[in-house]
Amino acid sequence: MRKQSMNKSIGLAVSIMLASTSLLAACSNTKDGGADTAKKPTTPATEAGKYPISTTETITSWEQINSNLTTFVPNLADSPFGKQLEKETGVKVKYSHPADGQSKEQFNLLIASNNLTDVIEYDWNNAYPGGPEKAMADKVILPLNELIDKHAPNLKKRLEQDKELDKMLKTDSGKYYVFPMIRPDNGLVFRGPMIRKDWLDELQLAVPTTIDEWYTVLKAFKEKKNASAPFTAQYSNEFNIQDAFIGAYRTANRYYIDDQGKVKYGPVDPQFKEALTLLRKWYAEGLIDKDFALNTDSKSYDNKMLSHASGATVGLLSGGMGRWMESGKKQDPKFQLVAAPYPTLKKGERAFIGQRDFKYNPAASKAVTTAAKNPELAVKWLDYAYSEKGSLLFNFGIEGESYSMQNGKPVFSDKITKDPKYSLQQMVTQYTKPNGPFPGDSRKSFNTFKEQDEAIKIWEQTDADKHVLPLFITPTIEESKEVAKINTAIASYKEEMFVKFVMGKEPLDKFDEYVKRIKDMGSDKVVKIYQDAYDRYNKR
């Protein structure tokens, strides 16, 4: 019931958004940031790039607030970071934050009601029907070419120096539409398989690398460590294992790119049936958490990893491994989690796919809306994050409080790293912005254990960079509307059947029937749209 109601609400939200676009076009402020929107930025105005800005105006911003920060303050403006950002930029900002877990619904209402803030931090590529081109055509957000050209010298310089990033930030027609979150090179891989090393040592087993080795290990965890859920994972609209195990069969639980550069929908691949057969066998033998589909919040997931119910998962580097090690060691000093490679069928093979993101993160980037009374001021304020001083604030906070410069490098202070009550992740949210439109700094690390540093090196060893489909390709407006409609139906049915296949509630003899139904829903149409968009992206 929960799944069905969730899908109905998503469908309703999409309908509301589509129905509201004509209203938006009629009601929104129609400033367009300059007529020649496809022109590449040239020379910034001389006054741009100087801070603090002399202004009495207030900017409004709608964005999610980090759940760790709400431990201390209810609003970003009240945090040391928010106050320092106002001081350094000279711009007062009024922030609106959606309730935790309700950002999608509240974003939809924000758009449908035409009650826009000056800037909105959200995933304009994947959350707005029709994508950024449609959002601009609907006069919801502004094309930013001329605004970047004249008022954002810091971002403009980065785009000129990094052609790959420049390509990612444009639509096929050449329009810039957001100020981006830019991940550093060492921040692209942050999730993967991890396992209890103390259990492996006790059982005299090595870290598993192949499917067969994983089977041996999980069986030992169940039989000799009495683990009730030897392998578990979070469930967030899908079994969140980042294609671990599934990728061993050279497919994915999503759209992906094959070895020939062709877009495919993994869940209808013949080899996907082999992956389902494996997961079904493991589930039947009690090796996979029997309640995996109920792990929708971190509390139940955490409990399993810390109560000896589970000994392996696919989880986050900081919010998973680091947090569990911190808590686990308080209960048992021997508690140790280490990374395992993304598993393959044969020893020594390189994993086909795994978690690897792109330097541009569309989900935490900011657009300037047509409601902005002074879009030039909004752009100047946003551009501060890409300056040297602004980047230090966003990444490390306030010098002398949250960090100090040591041998020319910023280092978090004891105030942040050694607080007796709060974790590093909690403390750091008061002084920095963990996610958002700014360039990540490769010198910043939340790793508190050597196992975390090692994990990145292990999880990097995949061919994910060749096979992950970019989230920022831009289908045309009509294509995007069609994709949204088809994918909503497909995702709901695919996930329902995935759970049933794995749990043994549907026989795998029905796989061909399931594939036919997904194709009848239009998966091949979506594959063609994505292929065309991907080809256009590669030609930018």
Side-chain angles (χ1 to χ4, degrees):
M1 285 296 293
R2 187 181 179 279
K3 184 77 189 169
Q4 287 175 344
S5 64
M6 180 182 74
N7 286 320
K8 281 180 186 172
S9 68
I10 290 171
L12 177 62
V14 169
S15 302
I16 289 170
M17 290 168 72
L18 287 169
S20 71
T21 52
S22 58
L23 172 70
L24 290 164
C27 300
S28 292
N29 182 327
T30 56
K31 292 175 188 173
D32 67 358
D36 188 8
T37 54
K39 188 177 125 189
K40 191 166 177 67
T42 51
T43 312
T46 51
E47 73 275 12
K50 292 185 179 177
Y51 300 94
I53 299 163
S54 179
T55 181
T56 55
E57 292 187 53
T58 297
I59 286 173
T60 55
S61 176
W62 187 94
E63 58 191 81
Q64 292 185 74
I65 187 170
N66 188 287
S67 58
N68 281 320
L69 179 57
T70 55
T71 305
F72 306 98
V73 292
N75 193 281
L76 189 61
D78 302 323
S79 69
F81 167 82
K83 292 173 182 175
Q84 187 69 14
L85 180 62
E86 181 182 334
K87 181 181 172 184
E88 291 184 17
T89 60
V91 180
K92 189 173 182 62
V93 181
K94 186 180 178 183
Y95 298 94
S96 302
H97 303 302
D100 190 30
Q102 295 177 31
S103 56
K104 184 179 282 190
E105 292 83 353
Q106 291 188 23
F107 172 80
N108 292 347
L109 288 172
L110 186 75
I111 298 296
S113 67
N114 195 31
N115 187 24
L116 305 175
T117 52
D118 294 335
V119 297
I120 296 177
E121 184 179 308
Y122 206 60
D123 188 345
W124 292 95
N125 285 71
N126 302 291
Y128 190 92
E133 285 281 13
K134 186 76 166 73
M136 287 184 277
D138 288 340
K139 307 294 185 188
V140 175
I141 63 173
L142 298 174
L144 297 174
N145 296 57
E146 286 198 14
L147 286 163
I148 290 172
D149 184 25
K150 294 177 180 175
H151 306 290
N154 297 306
L155 177 59
K156 182 190 160 188
K157 185 179 177 184
R158 285 179 183 270
L159 296 179
E160 288 173 341
Q161 291 174 345
D162 189 338
K163 297 302 176 191
E164 184 190 12
L165 178 67
D166 183 72
K167 187 169 131 176
M168 291 176 179
L169 289 181
K170 290 185 290 198
T171 62
D172 294 326
S173 65
K175 297 187 184 92
Y176 298 101
Y177 55 97
V178 286
F179 277 73
M181 176 177 175
I182 308 171
R183 294 188 178 99
D185 289 342
N186 61 352
L188 307 180
V189 175
F190 46 80
R191 188 194 294 265
M194 60 185 80
I195 195 158
R196 285 287 296 270
K197 179 69 162 58
D198 50 323
W199 287 11
L200 291 175
D201 290 346
E202 185 187 325
L203 299 169
Q204 297 184 312
L205 292 166
V207 173
T209 62
T210 65
I211 295 292
D212 287 345
E213 288 172 358
W214 267 94
Y215 178 70
T216 299
V217 163
L218 294 178
K219 212 164 167 51
F221 283 1
K222 178 178 171 57
E223 293 168 359
K224 297 176 181 174
K225 292 300 297 179
N226 297 317
S228 58
F231 179 89
T232 191
Q234 190 143 29
Y235 191 89
S236 178
N237 300 322
E238 67 174 40
F239 195 31
N240 199 351
I241 57 175
Q242 299 295 310
D243 296 320
F245 309 114
I246 295 169
Y249 298 91
R250 303 189 75 75
T251 184
N253 192 20
R254 66 204 75 254
Y255 294 94
Y256 72 97
I257 299 160
D258 71 9
D259 288 331
Q260 285 70 49
K262 298 298 177 189
V263 176
K264 295 281 184 72
Y265 185 53
V268 298
D269 284 342
Q271 64 269 35
F272 197 80
K273 186 179 179 180
E274 296 178 63
L276 286 172
T277 303
L278 175 86
L279 295 175
R280 182 191 184 97
K281 172 182 160 65
W282 287 6
Y283 184 87
E285 293 186 21
L287 306 184
I288 291 176
D289 183 357
K290 69 180 191 309
D291 297 322
F292 72 81
L294 301 178
N295 293 339
T296 53
D297 61 60
S298 59
K299 192 176 178 185
S300 57
Y301 186 30
D302 289 347
N303 285 342
K304 284 167 185 172
M305 289 303 296
L306 293 170
S307 67
H308 305 295
S310 299
T313 188
V314 173
L316 288 166
L317 183 71
S318 191
M321 182 182 279
R323 207 157 47 86
W324 294 324
M325 288 269 278
E326 220 163 78
S327 299
K329 281 187 174 296
K330 287 174 187 171
Q331 303 167 22
D332 177 3
K334 289 181 183 173
F335 186 100
Q336 185 185 18
L337 283 166
V338 294
Y342 277 86
T344 55
L345 287 179
K346 295 175 186 170
K347 195 90 173 160
E349 268 185 327
R350 188 173 172 87
F352 178 76
I353 199 166
Q355 183 272 320
R356 184 183 178 85
D357 276 317
F358 296 84
K359 65 172 73 177
Y360 164 43
N361 177 7
S365 298
K366 269 195 176 84
V368 180
T369 74
T370 52
K373 296 181 184 67
N374 188 342
E376 295 82 6
L377 178 64
V379 164
K380 287 177 186 176
W381 175 71
L382 287 166
D383 192 52
Y384 182 66
Y386 304 88
S387 69
E388 190 176 345
K389 194 176 176 190
S391 176
L392 280 170
L393 171 62
F394 275 76
N395 283 285
F396 297 98
I398 304 169
E399 187 171 5
E401 280 193 57
S402 58
Y403 80 95
S404 61
M405 297 301 291
Q406 295 177 21
N407 301 318
K409 291 181 181 178
V411 177
F412 284 123
S413 63
D414 287 352
K415 179 178 183 177
I416 298 295
T417 59
K418 295 181 179 177
D419 187 89
K421 189 174 178 185
Y422 299 108
S423 69
L424 169 64
Q425 284 83 5
Q426 288 175 309
M427 290 300 293
V428 95
T429 55
Q430 296 184 80
Y431 291 90
T432 72
K433 199 167 191 304
N435 292 299
F438 64 91
D441 194 311
S442 60
R443 299 170 296 182
K444 178 173 68 178
S445 173
F446 295 153
N447 295 351
T448 46
F449 299 95
K450 67 180 189 312
E451 289 87 349
Q452 291 172 283
D453 295 327
E454 287 301 313
I456 298 170
K457 297 172 193 169
I458 292 166
W459 295 337
E460 278 177 341
Q461 302 305 310
T462 74
D463 282 334
D465 57 335
K466 298 176 189 172
H467 298 127
V468 173
L469 182 69
L471 290 172
F472 39 77
I473 54 172
T474 52
T476 66
I477 291 170
E478 288 309 311
E479 286 173 344
S480 292
K481 283 160 69 177
E482 191 168 19
V483 162
K485 187 178 169 186
I486 294 170
N487 273 348
T488 300
I490 286 176
S492 174
Y493 175 67
K494 184 276 298 182
E495 195 49 38
E496 177 193 338
M497 291 303 290
F498 179 93
V499 172
K500 286 180 176 178
F501 281 141
V502 172
M503 290 185 171
K505 292 179 181 176
E506 285 283 4
L508 281 165
D509 292 348
K510 283 198 173 180
F511 185 78
D512 290 346
E513 187 184 312
Y514 144 89
V515 168
K516 183 180 183 303
R517 184 162 169 191
I518 287 179
K519 286 182 178 281
D520 288 346
M521 286 177 177
S523 64
D524 288 344
K525 231 181 240 182
V526 176
V527 164
K528 185 179 186 312
I529 288 170
Y530 281 162
Q531 185 71 58
D532 292 345
Y534 182 61
D535 291 342
R536 290 194 302 270
Y537 168 74
N538 284 329
K539 288 174 185 170
R540 283 182 195 169

